[in-house]
Structures are given as C-alpha cells and as structure tokens.
Amino acid sequence: ALLAPFPSARIWFPASLPTLAKRPLNASQERAVRTSLTHNLATIIGPPGTGKTQTAAVIAYLRVQQNDGALLVCAGSNVAADNIAERLVAVFTGTPFTVIRYYASSKEQSPTLPAAASLATHMRDPRDSKSQTTLSQLQQLLTELGELSERDAELMRELKKAAEEEALRSVNVVVCTCSAAGDNRMDGISFRHVLIDEAGQIKEPEALVPIVHGAVNVTLIGDANQLGPTCRSPRAAAGGLGVSLFERLLLLKCTTVM
C-alpha cells in the first residue's frame, strides 16, 4: 500500500500554511509539509535547529483536517515523544481535534504533560455507563483499602483496559514511542497515517512497529548526519540492524525533502 500512488487530489491545503511558532515556515519546510501530505512514503531531512518539530506539528495539524483516519506520531525516546506531544497540544488548543500522549504501562507519565493529552482525561468505557460506574467504584475502593480482592482486581484491569482502548480509538492523534506502539492496549487499533520523529536514531525493527497498524501514509523525519541507532551486538550489526529505516530509505532513493 505504501508504494501505491497517493490520491493527492483529495488533499486539502489552506491558501497559506499555518504559522504555529513565532516564525512562519520557510520554503523548504513548506515543501516538506506538502510532500508528507501527498506521498504515501516520504523522508524529511533536517539538521538540528532547522525546525523539524515545528514542521512535524504543521504536518499533524493539516493531516487531521483531512478527515482521513487517525494519526500516530512516534519518536524513539519518551523525552522526544513528550516534547512533540506538548507542541501538538498547543497546536490543537481551541480546535475540535484531540491528542493523547500514550505511555507503555511500565512508564510514568511526564509531570509536565498537559492534562489535555493525558489518557485518563479521555477515558470513557466503550460499553455502558454501568461499567464506568463500576470502574469508578473499584478505583475508590482501592484508594480506601489499599488493595482489592483477586476477583475485583481482575475486573478493574478489564474495565480499565477497555476504557483505555476506547479512548485511544476516539482521538485524532496518538503520540508514543515506537516501542509503545506495540503495547497490547494498542492491539486492533488502526492508524492510516504515521509520523516518526528523530527517525535516524531508531532501529529499523523498532520503526516498523507503528507502521504495521495499517498505515497507508508514512513520513520519517530525521538528521542524516546524526549518529545512527545503537547496536551493541556485532552479529546484529552484521545483519543490518545498525542501519535505521530512515537511512535505508534514503539509500533506496525514497521521496526525500531537505
């Protein structure tokens, strides 16, 4: 699907691209935005300080306005994912579009994350209000007693997982690390569009995790001169795992904007 022609005639562009920072996009940034929206597969190259995060935010802003499926935005680290999530929250403030910063279950939420991007803010049980009431009661009971019976604990996990999955399906943009995109709470959720930031530092198998959620439009943003992914195993490096998907696509002459 990624190699098929993208129906660019359906893409809506405003008369002028939005300014989401103090400075408007320059010509190369505008070209990168348009390339991302009109190509199934694209790579965007930018050294530090060239406004890659701002460009990514504009791509996300325009992508969700196409009303053509959800967008999954990924990065290689939680710090990078937090940064882009905070930028997207600012971009979508005052609009009907919503964003969730999703963390793997083993990771604590960033204390600086705006409440508007919290998974808990968007949680609604997919079945009925009775289930939501039960979940609230169990959470209150856990707070009061400090523990639940095995049966209640299992029920709470089930209800919470269902509510989280429904929240993830209901928003326009989900931001997470590439590895978190493979979390079991993301199973069965489809994302037609994927944007991967800092892609030059992400191992190829890791970068493929968000793409297998049904993507038909993928954009990778990175710095071709940055150090590639860390591969400590000589055997794995010899097998090609020291090369990022970003670098491999550049070698294959994928549609690229600088």
Side-chain angles (χ1 to χ4, degrees):
L2 290 177
L3 299 180
F6 196 79
S8 57
R10 296 188 307 168
I11 298 297
W12 171 82
F13 286 103
S16 60
L17 293 180
T19 299
L20 305 179
K22 292 182 179 179
R23 292 183 296 179
L25 296 182
N26 58 37
S28 63
Q29 290 170 332
E30 285 199 15
R31 190 163 57 250
V33 170
R34 294 181 185 276
T35 299
S36 172
L37 294 177
T38 57
H39 289 74
N40 288 67
L41 183 61
T43 52
I44 298 173
I45 301 175
T50 55
K52 293 192 298 295
T53 301
Q54 178 186 355
T55 302
V58 174
I59 291 171
Y61 179 81
L62 292 177
R63 172 55 67 193
V64 298
Q65 294 191 55
Q66 310 304 321
N67 193 28
D68 185 33
L71 170 66
L72 179 59
V73 179
C74 290
S77 69
N78 279 295
V79 171
D82 286 339
N83 287 338
I84 196 165
E86 290 175 14
R87 178 65 67 91
L88 291 178
V89 169
V91 167
F92 292 136
T93 297
T95 75
F97 306 116
T98 50
V99 56
I100 281 180
R101 168 65 173 101
Y102 176 73
Y103 294 88
S105 54
S106 59
K107 171 67 180 175
E108 291 293 326
Q109 178 177 305
S110 168
T112 62
L113 181 74
S118 169
L119 178 59
T121 300
H122 297 271
M123 280 175 57
R124 298 291 185 274
D125 192 87
R127 286 168 290 184
D128 52 51
S129 58
K130 182 179 179 181
S131 296
Q132 182 62 42
T133 301
T134 302
L135 178 58
S136 299
Q137 291 172 340
L138 289 171
Q139 290 172 328
Q140 182 177 352
L141 190 62
L142 178 61
T143 301
E144 294 174 353
L145 301 180
E147 62 178 354
L148 296 172
S149 67
E150 185 175 337
R151 179 181 177 183
D152 283 347
E154 177 61 30
L155 177 59
M156 182 174 173
R157 283 192 293 270
E158 178 187 332
L159 292 174
K160 185 177 180 182
K161 184 174 184 289
E164 289 172 341
E165 290 174 352
E166 178 62 19
L168 291 167
R169 287 188 177 93
S170 69
V171 296
N172 302 102
V173 182
V174 174
V175 181
C176 64
T177 61
C178 287
S179 57
D183 191 81
N184 63 358
R185 289 176 291 180
M186 298 281 276
D187 288 348
I189 301 177
S190 177
F191 294 93
R192 287 178 53 83
H193 311 285
V194 173
L195 176 65
I196 302 178
D197 196 17
E198 303 295 347
Q201 297 177 303
I202 302 171
K203 297 182 182 69
E204 184 171 14
E206 190 177 357
L208 291 173
V209 174
I211 296 174
V212 300
H213 281 276
V216 297
N217 167 252
V218 177
T219 299
L220 294 92
I221 302 176
D223 181 358
N225 296 318
Q226 257 183 337
L227 291 175
T230 302
C231 188
R232 294 186 174 87
S233 167
R235 184 177 180 183
L241 293 184
V243 178
S244 67
L245 178 61
F246 182 73
E247 182 179 352
R248 198 176 301 282
L249 291 173
L250 294 180
L251 293 172
L252 293 172
K253 309 299 183 183
C254 171
T255 302
T256 303
V257 183
M258 301 182 67

